[in-house]
Amino acid sequence: MNILSIGGFSGLGESNTCTLRDKVLQEFGTVDHVDTTKVPYNLHYRIRNKLFRLGLNISLPDLSHANLEIKRLVECKADHYAIIWIDKGIIINKDTFETIRLTQPNTKIIGYSPDWMMGRHNQSRQFIESLPFYDCYVTTKSYAVEEMKKAGCKDVIYIGNAFQKGFHKPFELTAEEHKKYDCEVGFIGAYEDDRAESIGYLADNGIKVEIWGNYRWKWFCDSHHNLIFKGTELVSDEYCKALSGCKISLCFLRKMNKDLQTTRSIEIPACGSFMLAERTSEHLDLFKEDEEAVYFSDNKELLDKCRKYITDDVARKRIAEAGYQRCISSDYSYHGRIRQILHHVLNG
């Protein structure tokens, strides 16, 4: 079938999850692409985005002229698209959706986002106006389903996060890579105050933590002798190798998104790494506690679990392997997730 895939494909290298989903769509049909981020965000975009977050009802600029390209493709496509897949379409205008409906009325429009799209920091004026046009919107947030329906979506489904087969996988590290990536406790991700508080608590209690992330982490690490800033976020298979090198991989959730799981919730076990994550209902559904992953609810429990599993090589490796096998057996892959989505939309 013909598919039009729309999303932010530029930036973040091979670990860009939008690009990973696009690659899987190509397994289901012939795919045309519109990149909404081929022109990087500029000051004009950031100012308008900030003003929208503050409550002004203004639109975001389409720097990459994605709307014009979408209209061109749907108007000239002789063999219509069965699916138009829009990955976090915050710059897609209402009149673009109207053009799609007018020219290709039988096309199914699917929206997808790994973020909490009812939070204003993830939205835009265009996004809010477009919600009634989607045949189905896919969210990785179980609590967002009813919220999005009330906001105008006809059909909203909850699908868990995923890993990419062939990319997220255990790596056998070389001697040089062991020197670069091996650590007792590691974290990969953006700085947030609550994460820093928890990691600082570990450091203050004698746990050495190595961090890959944005430069706010560097300033934080400079004030703690047990913290090591390893560099900016990893955007290639180095990300998976770094996870493979961690005895314990920390998985923190993003509070401003009200996360109960995140992309790392699947990527860490899929890379064969031992995951120590915040205890939530969704994490417990994904991986059996103390068998396929280990969880904590406060900093004291986090510290206790780190101390236990840093030294217990047998249990740690057994749990890491079981978490990896759960990813495979339950097919938490993007292929499996997208197959579910397409079946729901095309077959009802």
Side-chain angles (χ1 to χ4, degrees):
M1 59 183 169
N2 291 316
I3 300 171
L4 176 58
S5 175
I6 302 164
F9 305 129
S10 298
L12 301 179
E14 296 174 72
S15 61
N16 183 336
T17 62
C18 179
T19 300
L20 296 178
R21 289 185 286 274
D22 177 76
K23 288 180 179 178
V24 171
L25 286 173
Q26 295 174 49
E27 300 174 21
F28 292 92
T30 302
V31 180
D32 293 329
H33 306 86
V34 175
D35 186 354
T36 60
T37 56
K38 65 182 177 182
V39 176
Y41 297 153
N42 58 16
L43 181 60
H44 177 224
Y45 182 98
R46 296 181 190 282
I47 289 173
R48 292 186 70 88
N49 189 28
K50 179 68 172 179
L51 291 173
F52 176 82
R53 290 187 183 195
L54 291 172
L56 275 67
N57 189 29
I58 59 175
S59 60
L60 296 180
D62 177 8
L63 303 177
S64 301
H65 304 295
N67 286 280
L68 287 175
E69 180 63 8
I70 294 166
K71 290 177 184 177
R72 185 190 69 80
L73 287 169
V74 298
E75 288 174 342
C76 73
K77 191 75 171 178
D79 189 5
H80 286 185
Y81 295 111
I83 294 289
I84 294 181
W85 178 284
I86 303 177
D87 215 292
K88 198 173 180 179
I90 58 174
I91 56 88
I92 311 303
N93 298 329
K94 179 180 178 181
D95 68 319
T96 300
F97 283 92
E98 291 171 339
T99 299
I100 294 171
R101 286 298 180 216
L102 180 64
T103 58
Q104 300 199 21
N106 296 322
T107 297
K108 299 294 186 181
I109 303 176
I110 301 174
Y112 180 100
S113 177
D115 293 320
W116 175 48
M117 295 309 294
M118 289 296 97
R120 195 168 178 89
H121 61 284
N122 287 318
Q123 296 177 334
S124 66
R125 176 181 174 179
Q126 295 103 306
F127 176 78
I128 294 170
E129 292 176 343
S130 70
L131 289 175
F133 290 94
Y134 288 99
D135 292 290
C136 179
Y137 206 96
V138 182
T139 176
T140 61
K141 317 297 180 188
S142 58
Y143 48 84
V145 173
E146 292 305 317
E147 291 178 327
M148 297 195 74
K149 287 181 179 178
K150 289 177 181 178
C153 287
K154 293 189 284 286
D155 182 27
V156 185
I157 60 172
Y158 158 64
I159 294 286
N161 283 285
F163 73 97
Q164 178 75 340
K165 292 179 180 178
F167 179 73
H168 298 114
K169 62 182 181 180
F171 274 83
E172 288 292 334
L173 302 182
T174 65
E176 194 63 32
E177 288 169 340
H178 275 294
K179 292 179 183 178
K180 184 176 181 180
Y181 298 120
D182 280 3
C183 67
E184 290 189 338
V185 180
F187 175 70
I188 303 172
Y191 177 96
E192 291 189 10
D193 288 340
D194 62 292
R195 298 172 178 181
E197 180 186 352
S198 295
I199 289 175
Y201 181 84
L202 292 178
D204 290 341
N205 285 277
I207 303 296
K208 184 176 289 187
V209 184
E210 302 190 14
I211 300 170
W212 291 262
N214 51 2
Y215 275 103
R216 287 192 67 186
W217 280 121
K218 185 180 187 308
W219 305 329
F220 183 75
C221 290
D222 287 344
S223 63
H224 293 74
H225 70 276
N226 277 327
L227 300 181
I228 300 173
F229 181 70
K230 298 287 286 187
T232 54
E233 284 193 274
L234 304 163
V235 294
S236 67
D237 62 3
E238 288 190 336
Y239 167 69
C240 306
K241 291 177 181 179
L243 290 176
S244 295
C246 296
K247 282 188 176 181
I248 296 174
S249 291
L250 301 178
C251 180
F252 293 108
L253 302 174
R254 199 171 188 201
K255 302 305 185 292
M256 69 187 303
N257 274 342
K258 302 196 296 185
D259 282 349
L260 297 176
Q261 60 171 284
T262 185
T263 52
R264 301 230 192 317
S265 303
I266 307 299
E267 293 167 355
I268 290 171
C271 289
S273 189
F274 175 95
M275 182 170 71
L276 180 53
E278 295 183 59
R279 184 182 287 105
T280 69
S281 58
E282 291 183 15
H283 273 160
L284 290 165
D285 286 341
L286 288 166
F287 299 101
K288 293 179 182 177
E289 184 165 14
D290 297 333
E291 294 182 28
E292 298 166 337
V294 174
Y295 303 120
F296 65 93
S297 293
D298 55 39
N299 288 339
K300 176 63 166 59
E301 188 176 15
L302 170 63
L303 175 63
D304 291 343
K305 296 293 176 66
C306 283
R307 285 174 170 166
K308 171 179 171 59
Y309 287 104
I310 283 173
T311 57
D312 194 341
D313 292 348
V314 173
R316 190 184 66 249
K317 291 176 181 178
R318 182 185 70 247
I319 292 169
E321 174 63 19
Y324 169 75
Q325 293 298 335
R326 179 63 183 274
C327 290
I328 304 303
S329 63
S330 294
D331 199 4
Y332 292 157
S333 69
Y334 277 116
H335 182 94
R337 302 298 201 196
I338 290 175
R339 184 179 62 244
Q340 286 179 261
I341 294 165
L342 295 182
H343 184 270
H344 172 84
V345 172
L346 296 176
N347 299 300

